[in-house]
């Protein structure tokens, strides 16, 4: 009985397995050794329709439901090469979705159709030498000059950044606006001024990981994805899918490691019997199988939420956390079953072991996953969605934009609360309505209430319930306004406590 996959999904799985057995598995060792996957393979993937499973037919996609993608990710993750799985999942689920969800027709025609066809390989470049977990702190700039942007900066650890054809780069189009100044730009890998250095790494040997530098790179303005200043929101939506895809792959990797180990344990003998007859190892297998099964079905639950169009931040973060930590544990324990052979390259266990180590780091570390979950569980923070999910269903929480950018209350810091309200009211009235209510709660020192549900933002000292409540002392509020206190670190250190709709709270950065 299978509650998630229908017969057609299993038929698809069998066809995919046959394809992987013929076109991929026989070559994996070579690709790992050469630290490179030949581009020709992606065209074969494209011809089979494997790179556009959830994309519309108009762009060459298959327009299938998300469960086909679950099957796809499971099977590519069972090829015993994390590097191979990473290359293809970054292409289909971590970079090209931004084009489809937020890109113009021009970008879809020029880049998305080629990515689906396997003619172009793409990368997503978020991480910088000085900004990994702290994404809002990126420094790469894109300055508008006429019909172009001029991009300067550096990125690091970028999968597909060496052999890929284009990069979706996270840039600051307005460096003064923090998260509200972040945008996404498509940059051709061979554009003048783009340099890539291939990084040597512990695992994922067949995938290429780049350090990229952008030196006055001229990028056409039409390569902007969506709107300027919305990049952070697009990313928040994209990262949920990235984490979910990661979780599917990690669990499938656990299954593959177990299958590989069970086969070995049935053949390897010690003390006159197969090692799978030793009770201590049998119990370990029982424990590991139980944990894999439990995690797998939680991940399927998250897949169902995603397929239904839910913006499941808490669940996807939990799935990523649990599955990535599990894969590391399973790989370590499976290697133990192999004794000395597990340490040798001729057995795939060694590769699975080193490949497993990236799980708790890439796409948001375990510590960051725990931060997100803790905020939602303890502080009752809710995250608003960022655009559509992979099936194109609009997320009702994602409709509000960051539209208080123009508010500049820095000069008002010495004013009393009353005059601050007056100053904010004038500026907020000029900005587009928030679409919701926001309250700064200063405890005994009063509060500022912004009602953006009507045609304009109305600022007052009313003490009313709001969709989003920001608890902060008035002194810290003034420090935030004056720039003495960084909003992100105030948030991390608990000086700002947010209750309610986190999507509204994210606008704080631009507000102050
Ligand atoms: C093989 C590989 C492939 C990658 N591919 C890509 C890619 O394609 N595109 C891309 O953009 N990036 C990519 N990355 C980057 C990856 O997403 C980052 O490495 C990751 O987000 C962590 O950032 P960092 O390395 O700068 O670590 P840091 O952010 O410097 O973190 C260092 C340590 O501090 C902890 N830490 C940081 N902040 C907090 C906090 N608030 N609370 C508690 N602990 C905290 C972290 O958990 C970590 O343990 C890749 C990385 C690797 C290794």
């Amino acid at each position: 009985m299978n509650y998630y996959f229908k017969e057609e999904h299993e038929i698809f799985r069998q066809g995919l397995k046959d394809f992987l057995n013929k076109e991929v598995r026989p070559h994996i060792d070579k690709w790992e050794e050469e630290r490179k996957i030949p581009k020709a393979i992606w065209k074969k993937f494209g011809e089979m329709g494997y790179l556009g499973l959830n994309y519309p037919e108009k762009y060459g996609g298959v327009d299938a439901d998300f469960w086909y993608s679950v099957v796809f990710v499971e099977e590519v993750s069972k090829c015993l090469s994390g590097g191979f799985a990473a290359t293809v999942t970054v292409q289909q689920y971590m970079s090209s979705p931004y084009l489809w969800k937020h890109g113009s027709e021009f970008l879809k025609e020029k880049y998305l159709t080629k990515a689906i066809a396997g003619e172009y390989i793409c990368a997503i470049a978020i991480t910088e030498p000085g900004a990994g977990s702290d994404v809002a702190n990126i420094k790469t700039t894109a300055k508008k000059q006429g019909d172009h942007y001029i991009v300067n900066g550096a990125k690091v650890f970028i999968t597909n950044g060496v052999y890929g054809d284009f990069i979706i780069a996270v840039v600051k189009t307005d460096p003064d606006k923090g998260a509200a100044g972040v945008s996404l730009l498509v940059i051709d890998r061979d554009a003048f001024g783009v340099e890539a250095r291939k990084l040597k790494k512990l695992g994922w040997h067949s995938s290429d990981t780049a350090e990229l530098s952008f030196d006055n790179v001229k990028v056409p303005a039409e390569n902007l994805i969506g709107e300027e200043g919305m990049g952070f929101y697009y990313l928040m939506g994209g990262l949920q899918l990235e984490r979910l895809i990661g979780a599917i792959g990690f669990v499938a990797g656990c299954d593959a490691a177990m299958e590989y180990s069970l086969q070995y344990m049935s053949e390897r003998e010690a003390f006159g019997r197969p090692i799978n007859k030793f009770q201590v190892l049998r119990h370990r297998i029982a424990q590991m199988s139980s944990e894999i099964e439990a995690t797998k079905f939680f991940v399927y639950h998250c897949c169902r939420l995603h397929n239904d169009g839910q913006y499941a931040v808490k669940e996807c973060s939990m799935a990523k956390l649990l599955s990535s930590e599990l894969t590391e544990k399973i790989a370590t324990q499976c290697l133990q079953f192999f004794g000395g052979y597990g340490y040798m390259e001729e057995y795939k266990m060694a590769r699975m072991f080193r490949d497993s180590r990236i799980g708790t780091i890439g796409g948001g570390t375990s510590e960051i996953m725990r931060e997100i979950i803790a905020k939602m569980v303890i502080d009752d923070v809710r995250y608003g969605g960022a655009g559509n999910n992979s099936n194109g269903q609009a997320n009702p929480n994602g409709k509000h934009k960051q539209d208080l950018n123009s508010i500049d209350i820095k000069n008002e810091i010495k004013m009393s609360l009353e005059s601050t309200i007056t100053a904010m009211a004038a500026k907020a009235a000029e900005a587009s309505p928030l679409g919701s209510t926001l309250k700064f709660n200063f405890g005994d020192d009063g509060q500022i209430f912004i009602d953006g549900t009507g045609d304009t933002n109305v600022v007052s000292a009313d003490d009313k319930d709001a969709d989003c409540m920001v608890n902060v002392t008035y002194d810290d509020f003034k420090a935030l306004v004056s720039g003495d206190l960084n909003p992100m670190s105030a948030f991390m250190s608990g000086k700002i406590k947010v209750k309610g709709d986190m999507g509204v709270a994210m606008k704080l950065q631009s507000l102050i």
Side-chain angles (χ1 to χ4, degrees):
M1 174 80 81
N2 195 319
Y3 290 100
Y4 295 98
F5 302 103
K6 296 189 187 135
E7 194 186 356
E8 55 264 34
H9 296 121
E10 294 306 338
I11 293 169
F12 170 74
R13 188 189 297 277
Q14 197 47 55
L16 173 62
K17 273 181 168 177
D18 293 345
F19 173 82
L20 294 171
N21 284 338
K22 181 166 173 259
E23 302 289 351
V24 173
R25 283 174 182 268
H27 311 292
I28 287 272
D29 288 354
K30 187 165 177 273
W31 298 345
E32 285 277 317
E33 194 76 22
E34 292 176 352
R35 308 275 202 273
K36 189 174 181 177
I37 301 170
K39 268 197 158 164
I41 185 66
W42 304 124
K43 283 203 96 171
K44 291 185 182 172
F45 268 77
E47 281 159 17
M48 296 296 291
Y50 290 144
L51 298 178
L53 291 173
N54 301 134
Y55 293 137
E57 287 174 26
K58 183 179 170 192
Y59 306 110
V62 179
D63 217 357
D65 67 52
F66 186 62
W67 295 101
Y68 284 90
S69 280
V70 180
V71 170
F72 180 79
V73 176
E74 286 183 337
E75 294 309 320
V76 295
S77 302
K78 287 182 182 172
C79 290
L80 313 188
S81 165
F84 167 73
T87 306
V88 68
T89 50
V90 165
Q91 163 92 354
Q92 181 158 209
Y93 302 105
M94 299 171 196
S95 46
S96 59
Y98 295 103
L99 289 172
W100 174 55
K101 285 186 222 164
H102 310 293
S104 62
E105 266 318 298
F106 164 77
L107 289 176
K108 284 175 182 153
E109 283 300 327
K110 184 165 179 195
Y111 294 100
L112 183 62
T113 51
K114 292 227 166 70
I116 292 171
E119 288 167 27
Y120 279 179
I121 293 301
C122 48
I124 173 81
I126 308 169
T127 310
E128 297 189 355
S133 305
D134 187 5
V135 177
N137 195 35
I138 63 153
K139 298 280 185 261
T140 298
T141 55
K143 283 192 186 146
K144 192 96 176 268
Q145 280 184 10
D147 58 356
H148 282 82
Y149 287 97
I150 302 294
V151 179
N152 281 290
K155 298 282 175 185
V156 73
F157 308 146
I158 307 308
T159 304
N160 301 345
V162 181
Y163 304 126
D165 299 280
F166 68 92
I167 303 148
I168 295 175
V170 181
V171 296
K172 281 256 171 91
T173 38
D174 192 339
D176 297 330
K177 281 192 184 157
V182 172
S183 304
L184 304 186
L185 214 51
V186 180
I187 302 180
D188 289 326
R189 173 58 192 82
D190 62 1
F192 189 75
V194 180
E195 293 291 336
R197 181 171 74 89
K198 192 170 171 181
L199 299 169
K200 289 184 181 167
K201 49 191 192 296
L202 172 71
W204 278 12
H205 286 170
S206 55
S207 96
D208 54 296
T209 309
E211 184 177 59
L212 295 169
S213 66
F214 304 108
D215 183 10
N216 284 317
V217 182
K218 205 172 166 192
V219 180
E222 59 202 359
N223 280 21
L224 176 75
I225 296 181
E227 292 174 46
E228 264 193 20
M230 291 295 288
F232 204 75
Y233 285 93
Y234 301 156
L235 273 184
M236 286 173 76
L239 286 174
Q240 296 320 308
L241 179 60
E242 175 166 344
R243 287 165 190 162
L244 182 58
I245 293 295
I248 299 164
F250 297 142
V251 175
C254 289
D255 273 340
M258 285 290 279
E259 195 183 324
Y260 191 65
S261 301
L262 286 174
Q263 179 65 34
Y264 180 81
M265 292 168 84
S266 68
E267 292 163 3
R268 175 71 176 171
E269 292 201 353
F271 298 94
R273 52 189 175 149
I275 62 171
N276 67 8
K277 297 295 178 205
F278 294 117
Q279 192 182 44
V280 67
L281 302 189
R282 296 170 69 84
H283 283 193
R284 197 174 297 156
I285 289 284
Q287 180 68 29
M288 292 158 68
S289 305
S290 309
E291 290 179 26
I292 294 171
E293 209 67 358
T295 310
K296 183 189 296 175
F297 282 91
F298 177 62
V299 172
Y300 284 162
H301 168 67
C302 297
C303 292
R304 187 176 165 185
L305 292 177
H306 179 82
N307 195 45
D308 289 349
Q310 302 286 324
Y311 186 62
V313 177
K314 184 172 74 180
E315 290 81 359
C316 287
S317 305
M318 288 173 168
K320 202 268 175 180
L321 173 69
L322 293 176
S323 61
S324 60
E325 301 217 328
L326 183 66
T327 198
E328 209 182 304
K329 177 172 151 184
I330 297 295
T332 303
Q333 296 199 351
C334 282
L335 191 144
Q336 190 71 14
F337 295 138
F338 284 74
Y341 294 99
Y343 208 69
M344 299 298 133
E345 275 299 309
E346 59 189 301
Y347 284 85
K348 309 297 177 235
M349 208 50 246
R351 184 194 302 158
M352 282 193 263
F353 173 76
R354 60 172 182 257
D355 284 353
S356 73
R357 194 58 192 84
I358 181 66
T360 61
I361 299 170
T365 64
S366 281
E367 290 75 17
I368 295 300
M369 293 306 102
R370 288 194 175 90
E371 273 297 303
I372 295 169
I373 297 162
K375 277 186 198 129
M376 298 188 82
V377 171
I378 302 168
D379 303 330
D380 199 25
V381 166
R382 280 185 298 133
Y383 291 89
N388 300 335
N389 74 2
S390 79
N391 294 322
Q393 291 144 319
N395 184 330
N397 293 328
K399 63 177 189 254
H400 305 309
K401 294 192 298 184
Q402 232 166 284
D403 41 17
L404 288 177
N405 295 354
S406 62
I407 296 179
D408 176 7
I409 54 172
K410 270 192 175 176
N411 295 327
E412 318 296 341
I413 52 171
K414 293 195 175 74
M415 291 183 177
S416 66
L417 178 58
E418 202 175 85
S419 49
T420 304
I421 289 172
T422 311
M424 280 187 82
K427 305 257 169 78
E430 287 167 15
S432 313
L434 266 178
S436 42
T437 53
L438 171 69
K439 179 161 127 184
F440 293 97
N441 179 25
F442 309 126
D444 290 343
D445 291 331
Q447 63 281 318
I448 294 178
F449 185 83
I450 305 176
D451 184 350
T453 54
D455 294 341
T456 179
N457 295 307
V458 180
V459 183
S460 69
D462 291 353
D463 190 8
K464 292 194 280 193
D465 288 342
D467 297 324
C468 176
M469 176 139 92
V470 181
N471 289 308
V472 58
T473 66
Y474 190 50
D475 282 346
D476 281 341
F477 178 74
K478 285 192 288 184
L480 283 166
V481 171
S482 68
D484 292 341
L485 185 59
N486 176 289
M488 202 55 89
S489 49
F491 185 60
M492 294 300 215
S493 65
K495 285 186 172 174
I496 295 182
K497 290 205 175 94
V498 180
K499 280 204 159 200
D501 189 343
M502 188 66 187
V504 184
M506 287 307 299
K507 294 165 187 166
L508 285 179
Q509 187 108 345
S510 61
L511 187 69
I512 47 186

